Every structure is written in C-alpha cells, then in structure tokens.
Amino acid sequence: MMMASIQFGSKQIDFQIEYSERKTLGITVSPDMDVLVKAPNDSTISKIEEKLKKKAPWIIKQQSFFLTYHPKTTKRNYISGETHLYLGRQYLLKVEENEKESVKLKGKFIEVKTHDKARVKQLVNNWYLKHARSKFHATALPLIEKFKKYKVEPSSIVLREMPTRWGSCTPKGKIILNPELIKAPKGCIEYVITHELCHLIHHDHTKRFMDLQTKEMKDWKKWKTKLERLLA
C-alpha cells in the first residue's frame, strides 16, 4: 500500500493505493474520510491521478456527508472560571472544596464539589456521560417512533467514545453515539440520530439516503453546520 496526493483547486486529496489482480480501478471513501484506490497491478500513477481528478467532486462530496469529528484542540485544565459547553450553551466551571463530591448545574455555572481537585476532570466527565445517556435516549424515542413507518427500528442505542465519529450504525442495526454530542444543542443531537436512523434503510450516502434525510429533517444542513462550528 502506498500513499499519494493530488491537488484539486484549493483542496488536497490524500489517498492510498492498493494494487491487486483486478481489471478495473475502484475508489472508496471511508467514514473517517480516508480515500482508498484499488488499482490493477499495471496501473500507472498518472492514470490513477487522472481518474482521481475526474472523481474529485464526488470524493469531496462523500467526505462531507460523513459525520466526522475532529475535536477542537483547546486544552481543558478543569479549574474555576473555565468555560465548558452543555447542550450548546457555555457554562463557567466553579470548583469548591467539599468532603462530599457532587456536580450540579446552577445558573450559569457547572458547580463541582470535591476534596481532591485532581478528581475534577473525572467528575465532570462522569456528569457529562450520565446526562448524555438520559438525553440521547429521550431525544431518540420520538425519532425511532417516526421511523417505524419504514418498518425499521434500531436493535439498541449505545454510547461509545469515538475519536473521529459522531455516530455510526452497524449492519445489525445498533446505533452508536459519541457522548461528546451532549455538548451540542438538541437539534444537533436529533440530526446525528436521524442520520443514523436513515442508515437503517440506506447503508450508503446515495441520493436516496440524502432525500430521506431531508424528508425526515428539512433543516439538517443547519444543524450539521452548527455541530461542526461548535465542536469540530
């Protein structure tokens, strides 16, 4: 397998080439936005690049459809006065020394009480995870009901930390959601769940998939953009 890249306008497209005993040249885009070219053994690099340039608009379109997640690099120190997001709103972290540990939302503060300041990060993350579980399931229920008209239903909805994905749908119908979504507005969460529910019907990002997503959530582009601007 070899790596290469082409320039298409202002965008650079990186791709991997995998040579094999095949007659045609195929291009696939993975959910992590990786581009793989499967080429016959006798393919020249110029022929591969020519094909990629022709397919570049499609590649870029496919990459934009995937619910990718590239976290903002702002490092959190988990100290008083620091801002943290919850359901799209900014809150100030307020750390207080107390023998009894707790995390509560109070006005414009996320109030953390602990006897050990080294535990603040873990306590806040546990609080986010607890709220993600309840909010995601509450948000998903009416959407799942809507999709029953298509005779589909997810086998389960689970939370899993994913460094590059907002959500995914397994071939067996399990929907996996990134707990980081709890930091985004409810509309963003509805968009990701709707996107994955559409995958129960159409597994690829075809025109039929996009038409279904638009039918079920007319303003999905607005929430996709908001999600990307806020957290990715």
Side-chain angles (χ1 to χ4, degrees), residues 63-84:
Q63 288 177 326
S64 73
F65 285 157
F66 286 117
L67 286 170
T68 51
Y69 169 50
H70 300 284
K72 289 191 183 295
T73 53
T74 308
K75 189 176 182 293
R76 290 284 184 259
N77 295 310
Y78 295 87
I79 55 173
S80 287
E82 195 173 56
T83 59
H84 287 256

Side-chain angles (χ1 to χ4, degrees), residues 18-201:
E18 186 181 272
Y19 292 99
S20 64
E21 293 287 343
R22 54 183 290 150
K23 292 179 181 178
T24 57
L25 193 146
I27 300 169
T28 57
V29 182
S30 79
D32 291 332
M33 298 202 300
D34 293 328
V35 180
L36 175 63
V37 178
K38 292 184 177 179
N41 286 325
D42 60 353
S43 298
T44 62
I45 191 72
S46 59
K47 187 179 177 182
I48 291 169
E49 287 179 352
E50 184 188 341
K51 178 83 169 179
L52 275 158
K53 282 175 182 172
K54 282 183 182 174
K55 296 284 285 184
W58 174 83
I59 292 166
I60 292 164
K61 192 177 179 183
Q62 284 296 105
Q63 288 177 326
S64 73
F65 285 157
F66 286 117
L67 286 170
T68 51
Y69 169 50
H70 300 284
K72 289 191 183 295
T73 53
T74 308
K75 189 176 182 293
R76 290 284 184 259
N77 295 310
Y78 295 87
I79 55 173
S80 287
E82 195 173 56
T83 59
H84 287 256
L85 285 163
Y86 174 66
L87 290 176
R89 295 181 63 185
Q90 284 198 336
Y91 293 86
L92 291 171
L93 197 63
K94 187 177 183 181
V95 181
E96 293 181 5
E97 197 170 322
N98 198 300
E99 284 303 309
K100 193 175 180 182
E101 290 186 332
S102 65
V103 181
K104 289 178 183 173
L105 207 61
K106 279 196 173 181
K108 61 178 182 178
F109 296 99
I110 296 176
E111 188 180 86
V112 183
K113 293 183 179 180
T114 178
H115 63 282
D116 181 4
K117 287 187 177 179
R119 282 185 45 74
V120 173
K121 181 179 179 179
Q122 187 62 52
L123 289 167
V124 170
N125 286 342
N126 288 347
W127 179 82
Y128 271 129
L129 192 59
K130 176 188 168 188
H131 283 270
R133 283 197 185 102
S134 61
K135 294 285 182 187
F136 292 179
H137 281 91
T139 304
L141 281 175
L143 297 173
I144 291 168
E145 282 300 314
K146 270 178 70 180
F147 271 78
K148 282 183 179 176
K149 63 179 178 256
Y150 300 113
K151 295 184 171 52
V152 294
E153 191 175 349
S155 56
S156 62
I157 292 182
V158 299
L159 274 64
R160 183 186 301 159
E161 286 185 18
M162 295 181 282
T164 61
R165 304 284 300 278
W166 287 119
S168 67
C169 181
T170 70
K172 291 186 177 179
K174 181 197 289 185
I175 289 177
I176 303 164
L177 298 173
N178 190 328
E180 281 285 293
L181 267 172
I182 195 62
K183 296 174 184 178
K186 186 183 176 185
C188 296
I189 299 167
E190 288 175 334
Y191 158 58
V192 174
I193 294 170
T194 300
H195 183 99
E196 300 309 336
L197 285 168
C198 288
H199 275 314
L200 294 174
I201 302 162

